Amino acid sequence: MQRPAKPSRERHDWQGDVASIRRLLDAAPFGIAVFDGRLRYRYVNEHLAELNGVAAEEHIGRRLEDIAPVALGLAREALAKLASGAKVVEHVLPPEIRQAPGLRQVWKARWFRVSMPPRRKPWLGVTVDGGTPAGVPQPKEAKDSGTRADEEFYRAVVEDLTEVVSRTLPDGTLTFVNEGYCRYFGKNRGEIVGSKWSPRATADDVPGNEAQLGTLSAANPVVVNEDRVCDRDGAVRVMQFANRGFFDATGRLLETQSVGRDVTAQKEAELALRESEERYRSLVQCSMDAVLLTAPDGRILSANDAACRMFGRTEQELVKLGRSEVVDPTDPSLAPGLQKRDRTGRFNGELTLIRKNGERFKAEVSSALFHDSRGQARTSMVIRDLSEMLAAKERIRAQRKALSRVERAARLAAMTSSVAHEISQPLTGIVSTALAARRLLSRPAPSLDELRECLDEILEDSRRAGHYIESVRRIVRRGDPSGRTLEINDVVRDAIRLILADTEASVVPVATRLGKAVPRVWADPIHIQHVLQNLIANAQRAMAGGDPGGKRVEVATAFDAVRRAAVVTVSDRGPGVPPDKLEWVFEAFHTTRPGGLGLGLATCRSLVEANGGRIWAAQRRGGGARFQFTIPVAEEPTA
Amino acid sequence: MTAAGSTVFVVDDDESVRRGLKRLLGILGYRVESFGTAAELLSRASFGRSCCIVLDIRMPGMTGLELQDRLAEQGDSPPIIFLTAFGDVPGSVLAMKRGAVDYLQKPVDERELTAAIQAALRRDEQRRREARERDDARAKAATLTPREREVMQYVVGGAANKQIAGWMGIAEKTVKIHRGRVMSKMCVGSVADLVVACQHADIAPRKQP
């Protein structure tokens, strides 16, 4: 690329007076400021003056930190970088800085050096993107001294401006371009001056641009337009130009001065922002929670569908009414809530809200303070109607109550039936034997031995009934275990010995696999024995009938270090427990066995739990059932 | 009817019930055989003599109702009296529908039990008589020649000798001879008795060739 020509050679090409140069800067569609070596404002254009909220002429001579204190750090950083050779220093400002006074709505600053006459230190220029670019302020008539120094200064600013500056004849011939222009398009100034501007715009845009520029008139001397142009690398970029026409006394256009800058990034950012806003908007619209967008002063700016449904109002109504009509102003939590939000930016709590029909209801409100993309303070309210939740809770509670009533009735019926069934067995024996005994007595010479036998059998059956009643009582009110420290393996051996002593039950062999390193447990040995006998008898019954080959009950003990408990496993190779019954088998009066009581496992659970353990059922791998229970180890130092 | 010589099979998984019933029914003069499971009864009992079954409806393994089914499948079931503890009511309807004699609740009343057993034994008497008659009629029918059997079917179908002769293509006189042999082989004196004998022997009447 050819180096741009030296400024000195170009000076004479500049045909305007100081005022026209200055107007060019004043009317730029972005902010421009120039600071001297001590960071005092030397020039501010209209756009920046509006961003700062201070009239342009009031800036002059004041220090940067007086008007835009937050920018001071940025300016110093820029100065340092420019001094060490950087051509341009660009700052994209984070949102929180944009809220600060003096930098309101500014989102990008580009710092550049303004060359001053020889032997003077260069000044610092900045161009600023921000605000709404739609309205270009009309420059006020500046009082210019018209001195040569002023002219030099403005020329320097125009030349050093990182943006693109050009002057064009009515036929589109360029008569001046600044260095920024040359840099941007990668051309030598000699190549550009005298040529038409149109080749640098994309062909599609040329007719539209020409039409826009055609509207320039003495009454409407400024036109802002956007061009898609090809930059030095041939990439298509979007440039925004402010074009000012200069007219002779008859209103004929003499020339157009244009200031342009690349707004591609801004356009992309705007597009992204719009998309993300649309996304958020649809998210908010579809939310099941009511969402209100409000202002800190209590105005409602928008409301989603859920909010409209909740209040029974349209969005327009809500916007018209404002917060005071939908939030109960007498709610004592309201004022502290608002204060908290002002202080911390957030508020979560319950508030009383008002529906259209006047109904007041409790709602959980979560509110946050934030600033929108234009820096306006906004608040959001996400509202969850608690009245519905409370009503739903109440409904569920009522249903549960009804259900538990039914369940209790069913359990009672099951228990009654089970108890009656089980008592009727020995009772049948007792009645039958007593009847037989009476018949015996009516014989001429009754056998006393036979009568004694009858009485013995009656007693035995009565005792059995008594035991049953005792076991029912044990479930209903389990006794306190009289615990002591004991070896679980001893208890297991005792239980198996007792089982095997019962001739009827010893048909199915019982194998043991006792863990060697099981610490002593704390439990009532009678309880544990009862549980084991029950489980083993169950296991044997599960394998009753059929071929005796391969039938075996296995009892194993182990230590579960995590639970700090001994684990006892009783497994069989019977039909197993159906998976859907695994949780039910321990319910009292629930039985899977015809003729079964449904008390055995319930008693087991009751006893295991009374000793601080847990019991559960599973399927044995390879078929059969596996019952396991834990008994916590004794709290003593293990040897 | 007396108890003497009749057998009551008691099937109940509960030891107390078995023992008590065995003692009571024994003193009442019945022969009692008791079984702890339905399978034991099936494998060990024979029902040739006068007998009935007192059966617990709820048992591990084969239930009382299942046993009832199995016996019905075998075709020659002694009458069944079901015993039930409280809570098995739904089973009772089914049991009665399938022909149980009675359905008694534990603990059983002596009079109820003996009345049910008497009814059951009466029904068993009838069952065995019918079985005897059936066997008898079948044995006799087996001695008939094919011709005689054909003539018999036409006769119980209500046909006159002349018609039978025409259908079979033989002389009416020959029909008369066959008919006489049928009556004597089946040991009956009238057509009405022959009809009953055919029913017992399960031989269908023929009304046309």
Side-chain angles (χ1 to χ4, degrees), chain A residues 416-417 420-422 424-429 431-433 435-440 443 450 453-454 457 460-461 464 593-596, chain B residues 12-21 23-24 26-28 56 58-61 63 83-88 106-110:
Chain A
T416 313
S417 150
H421 182 273
E422 200 52 17
S424 72
Q425 303 284 43
L427 210 53
T428 304
V431 169
S432 308
T433 313
L435 287 171
R438 204 170 60 183
R439 288 248 162 210
L440 270 176
R443 282 181 184 173
E450 212 174 340
E453 265 176 46
C454 287
E457 285 169 17
E460 194 186 310
D461 289 345
R464 201 187 124 198
R593 200 174 69 231
Chain B
D12 198 308
D13 62 312
D14 193 278
E15 169 69 29
S16 303
V17 176
R18 282 205 300 276
R19 197 172 58 193
L21 287 179
R23 192 173 284 281
L24 176 61
I27 279 177
L28 287 173
D56 185 24
R58 192 155 86 164
M59 285 184 294
T63 67
L83 287 190
T84 173
F86 180 86
D88 302 327
K106 291 177 187 174
V108 284
D109 179 76
E110 183 185 341

Side-chain angles (χ1 to χ4, degrees), chain A residues 107 130-134 226 240 261 263-278:
Chain A
W107 65 277
T132 42
E226 274 173 16
Q240 189 180 54
R261 57 164 186 165
V263 291
T264 313
Q266 195 177 339
K267 286 279 154 195
E268 282 167 357
E270 275 172 15
L271 191 68
L273 186 67
R274 202 157 54 234
E275 279 175 358
S276 101
E277 271 174 359
E278 275 164 14

Side-chain angles (χ1 to χ4, degrees), chain B residues 71-90:
Chain B
L71 289 170
E73 276 167 31
Q74 289 178 8
D76 187 25
S77 172
I80 296 173
I81 298 158
F82 276 107
L83 287 190
T84 173
F86 180 86
D88 302 327
V89 181

Side-chain angles (χ1 to χ4, degrees), chain A residues 158-214:
Chain A
V158 167
E159 279 299 341
D160 295 335
L161 210 55
T162 54
E163 276 70 9
V164 166
V165 180
S166 65
R167 303 177 69 180
T168 324
L169 293 178
D171 67 354
T173 308
L174 290 159
T175 57
F176 167 82
V177 291
N178 72 344
E179 219 179 303
Y181 194 108
C182 298
R183 260 204 309 275
Y184 190 84
F185 291 107
K187 300 259 186 206
N188 174 300
R189 197 173 309 205
E191 287 175 86
I192 300 169
V193 172
S195 74
K196 305 265 174 126
W197 60 265
S198 46
R200 274 167 291 283
T202 52
D204 289 351
D205 285 1
V206 173
N209 286 331
E210 282 178 340
Q212 278 181 304
L213 292 174

